[in-house]
Amino acid sequence: MESAIGRQWYQLYENNPKLQAFAVLKGSEVVWQTENWNLVEDVQSILKAQKTGSSKVSASGVKYKTIESDEDSLIATADKDQGHLLLARIDKDAWTIAWAESGSVPELALIDLMRTAIVLKGNV
C-alpha cells in the first residue's frame, strides 16, 4: 500500500509541482504523508470541516477559509499567500489531502488530486 501511495504522490507532483505536500487518510488516521507536512493533530478538524461545510478549517497551524465544499471535495484558501488546502475523496472513509502553493489555481489542482484519488481507490 505505502509504495502505491508514494508512486501516486510522485506522479501527482510531477504533473503539478505547485502541489507541495500530500497526505492520505483512512478513517481519521493519517496512513501516509509527505515529510514536509504533519496532519496527525488536524485530521479530526479537517474531516469535520469538510463534512459540515464549515467556513473555516485549520491545518498545520494555518487557518484557511473554505471556498468550495461538497461531499467529495473541499477547497480552502489561506490569507497572506499561505496556499490552498485541498481534499478529494478516495472512497467512503478514505481521502487525499494536498497543499498547493498560493500561485496555483486551486480548482485545477483539485482536478489533479481527484485523479490521484481515483487511482488510489482500492489501494488504501
Side-chain angles (χ1 to χ4, degrees):
M1 171 177 70
E2 190 165 321
S3 62
I5 296 171
R7 278 193 306 274
Q8 288 309 309
W9 160 241
Y10 179 77
Q11 289 179 353
L12 177 63
Y13 179 76
E14 285 289 304
N15 186 49
N16 189 341
K18 290 187 177 188
L19 291 167
Q20 292 285 308
F22 178 76
V24 174
L25 309 179
K26 176 101 175 158
S28 59
E29 182 181 322
V30 175
V31 295
W32 196 96
Q33 63 187 356
T34 53
E35 291 179 11
N36 62 340
W37 214 21
N38 186 349
L39 293 180
V40 172
E41 299 296 322
D42 301 311
V43 171
Q44 296 288 350
S45 63
I46 292 169
L47 292 176
K48 183 178 179 185
Q50 189 284 325
K51 186 175 185 177
T52 62
S54 175
S55 64
K56 295 179 182 168
V57 62
S58 177
S60 295
V62 177
K63 292 180 172 86
Y64 299 87
K65 180 181 173 188
T66 301
I67 304 300
E68 184 179 310
S69 180
D70 63 31
E71 65 184 24
D72 294 321
S73 65
L74 177 132
I75 297 174
T77 299
D79 291 336
K80 302 175 187 155
D81 294 330
Q82 291 180 301
H84 310 283
L85 182 70
L86 309 169
L87 275 79
R89 184 183 298 274
I90 296 172
D91 60 29
K92 183 181 178 207
D93 67 340
W95 293 86
T96 56
I97 302 180
W99 180 84
E101 293 176 350
S102 60
S104 68
V105 177
E107 294 83 1
L108 297 178
L110 181 62
I111 291 169
D112 291 332
L113 187 62
M114 289 176 139
R115 202 175 295 132
T116 297
I118 290 167
V119 173
L120 287 173
K121 196 169 189 164
N123 290 311
V124 178

